[in-house]
Amino acid sequence: MTVPTDKSAEDTSQEEEVPEAGSTPPPDPKRWYALAVILFAAFMDLLDVTIVNVAIPSIQQDIDASYSAIAWITAGYSLAFAALLITGGRLGDIYGRKRMLLLGLGAFTVASLVCGLTPGPALLIVARAVQGAAAALMIPQVLSIIHVTFPKEERGKVLGTYGGVAGLALVLGPVVGGVLVSADLFGLEWRPIFLVNIPVGIVTFIAGVLYVRESRAPDKPRLDLVGVVLATASVLMLVYPLTQGRELGWPAWSFAMMAGSVAVLLLFVAHERRVVARGGTPLIALSLFRTRSFAGGFGVNLLYSIAYGTFFLMWSLYMQTGLGWSAMRAGLTALPMFLGLMITAGMAGDKLTPKYGRKVLFAGGVLLVTGALLFVAVSDHYGTDISSWLMAGPLFVFGLGMGAVVAPVVDFALTDVPHKDAGSASGVLNTSGQLGLSIGIAMVAVVFLGAMPGQSGKGVDAVEPTVRQELAAAGLADRGVQDDVLAGFRACTEDRLGESDPAVVPDSCRSTPPGVTAEEAGTAAAVLAESVPEVRAETFSRSFGRGLLYSAGLFLVMTVLMISLPRMARPQET
C-alpha cells in the first residue's frame, strides 16, 4: 500500500520514505486539517467556473470588451483547464501532489490578482487562461490527496463531502458573483469577483504548507511528453471549435477539427499502449477503464457535466438577457438549488450510499430529470410572468438530484483505483467533468441560441395585439400598413437573434418595409421599440423550455448508464 510520507509538512523538497510492502502506518493525524485546505482550494477554483457568467454585462461595459473577447474570457479558462488536467494529475504523481497543489494555488492566486486589476480585455483573457492552467495543476491533486491520505473506512464520507463542495461551488458561483457585482464594492464593479480570491488563496496556501502531507507515486514515473502533446491536442481540437463555432458561422474546418480530435485520441491510445509494452509509465493508465466502477463513473460524470453545463448557461442568459433581471436577483434565485444540493450531498456519501449503493445515484438521476421537466412546465405556463419564487420548486428538486449524483459518483469512480494511479485517475475524472462543461456550454449555441430565431415569431405574436393598438393610436390605423410593419418587425427580430454578435444590426432592421412610407416607418419604429423587451423575453422563455428538454434527455441517458456501475461501492486498499 502506498501512503504519504510521515515527514513534516514543511519538508517538501526531499524524497518521501515509502513504507515497506505490507505495512500499514497509522492515518495522518493532520488529515482533517489537510482536508479543509484542499476543499478550500477546490471551492475557490470551481467557484470561478460559474462566477463570471453573471458579471459578463458589467465586464463588457467597463473595459469595452467585444463579443468575441467576452467569449474568450469564458472559453480561455475552460480550454486551459480541460487541456492540462490529465497532465496536472500525472505531474502530482511524479513530483509530489502537495508540491503541485501549492504551485497551482499560488499561480491561481496571482492570476486572480491580474484579472482583478486588468485595464483591458486582452490581459484579462491571458490571465483567465493562466487561471485555468493553474487550476489544472491544483484540482487533480485534491482527489489524489484524499485517495492516499484517508483509510477506506473514512473515504466514502470524505469523497461525499468533496462532491458536495464541488456542486456547492458551481451553484454558489452566480450567487456570489451577483452579490459582488451588485454591491459595487469601492466602485470596483465586477473586479471583486476575482480579488476575493487573493486573501482566500494566501490563507489556504499557508495552511497547505503546514497541514498537507507530501505524497507521490512510489515507482517514480517519468512524464510521458508525447502523451502530453497528443492528449492536449485532442482536447483542444474538440473544445476549441465547439466554443468558437457559432461565432464563426460553423466553418468546414471546425467540423474537420472535431473529427481530427478523434483521430488524435486514437493515436494517443496507441502511443500509451506502446509505452506500457516498453515498460514505461503512460500519461493515463488505460487499465483504469477496465475497472467497471471507474469506466462507469467516467461516463456518468461526463454526461452529467454536459447536461449541467448546458442548463446553467442557458438559465443565466434566460434570466439576465431574456427576462432582464439584475445580476443579484439572478444569483439569489439559485438559493433553492443550493439548499437541495446541501441536503442530499451531506447525506449521500456518508449515510445513503453505503446502505443503498447505486440506488442513490438512480434517485439523483430521476430527480434531475424531474426538476428539468418541472422547469419546462413552469416556464411554458407562466412565460414572461415567471418569478424567482415560481422557479424555486423545480430548482430545489434539481438541487436534490445534483447532491445525490455529484457526491457518490466520485466514490464509485475512484475507490477501486490503485494508489499509484491516483493522480492519473483524478486527472482523467476531472477532465471528463471539465470537458463535459465545455461541451455543454458550447451546446448552448445549438440548443438554445440556435433555437431563438425559430421562436422569435411566437415572441412577435405575443405582442401583436398591443402593437396594433399602439400603431392605431399613433395614426397608423390602416390594417395593411400594420401588416407590413409587423412583417418587417418579424424579419428583423429573426435575423437579429440569428446573429452571433448581438451588436450587429441586420439589413432587415435597417430597411423600410414595403408599402410603408418613411414617415410611417419612423412612427412605427417608436412603437416597436417599446415592444422589443417583451418580444425578447417571450422568445428566450420559449427557447429555454426547448433547451431544458435537451438537458432532461441527457440526464435520462446518464441515469440509464448508471446500470454499468456496481451495485455497491467497494473501497479497496492496494
Side-chain angles (χ1 to χ4, degrees):
M1 180 183 71
T2 304
V3 297
T5 176
D6 196 32
K7 294 185 178 183
S8 66
E10 294 85 359
D11 185 10
T12 61
S13 62
Q14 302 178 16
E15 293 294 325
E16 73 280 8
E17 298 177 0
V18 180
E20 296 187 11
S23 63
T24 307
D28 181 4
K30 296 180 180 180
R31 64 189 182 282
W32 297 107
Y33 295 110
L35 178 63
V37 171
I38 59 179
L39 288 182
F40 265 108
F43 185 86
M44 184 172 68
D45 161 65
L46 293 170
L47 192 75
D48 268 44
V49 174
T50 56
I51 197 172
V52 175
N53 287 345
V54 296
I56 284 176
S58 179
I59 294 173
Q60 191 167 20
Q61 183 177 3
D62 183 46
I63 61 176
D64 194 27
S66 66
Y67 182 81
S68 177
I70 287 296
W72 271 109
I73 288 168
T74 303
Y77 184 96
S78 297
L79 283 169
F81 194 6
L84 298 175
L85 264 171
I86 296 174
T87 303
R90 182 52 83 189
L91 287 173
D93 288 340
I94 298 172
Y95 299 110
R97 292 154 187 147
K98 172 180 177 177
R99 183 175 296 169
M100 291 300 106
L101 174 74
L102 295 178
L103 178 61
L105 181 58
F108 189 89
T109 303
V110 173
S112 296
L113 177 63
V114 176
C115 286
L117 299 179
T118 182
L123 184 57
L124 181 56
I125 292 171
V126 173
R128 284 285 287 168
V130 174
Q131 266 193 323
L137 277 181
M138 178 169 54
I139 291 302
Q141 317 316 325
V142 173
L143 290 177
S144 301
I145 291 171
I146 289 174
H147 196 67
V148 301
T149 301
F150 287 86
K152 64 178 181 179
E153 60 269 16
E154 294 177 348
R155 213 180 298 153
K157 177 180 180 180
V158 172
L159 289 173
T161 303
Y162 168 74
V165 168
L168 174 63
L170 293 173
V171 171
L172 279 187
V175 178
V176 175
V179 171
L180 290 176
V181 172
S182 298
D184 192 16
L185 300 174
F186 309 108
L188 294 174
E189 298 181 344
W190 55 272
R191 298 177 188 273
I193 68 173
F194 297 113
L195 297 178
V196 72
N197 290 333
I198 310 307
V200 177
I202 292 173
V203 171
T204 305
F205 186 92
I206 294 172
V209 171
L210 295 176
Y211 296 118
V212 178
R213 179 189 282 182
E214 184 60 283
S215 67
R216 55 174 64 84
D219 51 356
K220 299 179 182 178
R222 298 180 62 183
L223 183 62
D224 176 15
L225 291 176
V226 175
V228 168
V229 172
L230 291 175
T232 302
S234 179
V235 172
L236 286 176
M237 289 173 69
L238 175 63
V239 177
Y240 178 79
L242 282 174
T243 303
Q244 295 293 295
R246 179 177 182 269
E247 181 184 351
L248 300 175
W250 296 107
W253 64 259
S254 65
F255 296 100
M257 184 175 286
M258 285 187 282
S261 72
V262 178
V264 175
L265 177 62
L266 294 176
L267 285 175
F268 171 76
V269 172
H271 168 75
E272 295 297 275
R273 287 175 174 170
R274 285 196 299 269
V275 170
V276 173
R278 294 196 304 263
T281 304
L283 181 64
I284 296 177
L286 298 179
S287 59
L288 289 172
F289 291 95
R290 291 196 293 270
T291 303
R292 181 180 178 184
S293 61
F294 183 82
F298 178 92
V300 169
N301 196 46
L302 178 66
L303 288 172
Y304 168 83
S305 299
I306 294 174
Y308 175 81
T310 305
F311 165 77
F312 212 92
L313 183 55
M314 282 193 310
W315 183 43
S316 297
L317 292 171
Y318 165 58
M319 288 187 293
Q320 291 192 83
T321 306
L323 299 178
W325 292 2
S326 68
M328 178 175 286
R329 181 179 179 183
L332 293 177
T333 301
L335 287 177
M337 184 162 56
F338 155 66
L339 178 60
L341 170 70
M342 291 305 296
I343 290 173
T344 48
M347 298 171 60
D350 187 29
K351 296 180 176 62
L352 298 179
T353 304
K355 184 175 182 180
Y356 299 106
R358 71 180 181 191
K359 292 179 182 178
V360 177
L361 289 171
F362 278 123
V366 171
L367 286 168
L368 284 167
V369 174
T370 302
L373 293 180
L374 282 174
F375 216 145
V376 171
V378 170
S379 175
D380 283 350
H381 181 73
Y382 290 99
T384 59
D385 294 326
I386 196 169
S387 66
S388 297
W389 289 109
L390 291 170
M391 292 184 186
L395 288 175
F396 179 71
V397 175
F398 198 84
L400 290 174
M402 287 178 62
V405 171
V406 298
V409 74
V410 175
D411 195 5
F412 275 92
L414 288 183
T415 48
D416 290 339
V417 171
H419 284 185
K420 65 184 180 67
D421 294 322
S424 178
S426 176
V428 173
L429 189 63
N430 275 286
T431 297
S432 74
Q434 186 59 30
L435 186 61
L437 284 173
S438 299
I439 294 172
I441 289 170
M443 289 304 296
V444 170
V446 178
V447 302
F448 179 58
L449 299 178
M452 284 199 292
Q455 299 297 320
S456 63
K458 295 176 181 177
V460 175
D461 289 342
V463 301
E464 180 175 343
T466 302
V467 168
R468 288 189 182 277
Q469 291 178 4
E470 293 179 354
L471 287 174
L476 301 180
D478 183 86
R479 184 79 179 185
V481 171
Q482 291 180 1
D483 290 342
D484 291 337
V485 167
L486 284 166
F489 188 38
R490 289 176 189 278
C492 172
T493 301
E494 181 175 353
D495 293 345
R496 191 154 205 165
L497 289 172
E499 292 287 346
S500 59
D501 187 343
V504 173
V505 180
D507 292 339
S508 57
C509 297
R510 302 175 185 271
S511 59
T512 301
V516 180
T517 66
E519 182 179 356
E520 290 173 334
T523 302
V527 172
L528 295 176
E530 297 178 359
S531 301
V532 168
E534 188 175 348
V535 172
R536 182 174 61 244
E538 182 70 27
T539 303
F540 268 71
S541 295
R542 291 182 176 275
S543 298
F544 179 60
R546 305 308 181 271
L548 279 173
L549 291 175
Y550 163 82
S551 291
L554 281 180
F555 284 131
L556 181 60
V557 175
M558 174 202 73
T559 305
V560 173
L561 183 62
M562 290 173 184
I563 297 174
S564 66
L565 295 172
R567 294 182 183 275
M568 303 294 294
R570 295 183 295 271
Q572 296 178 3
E573 298 287 357
T574 55

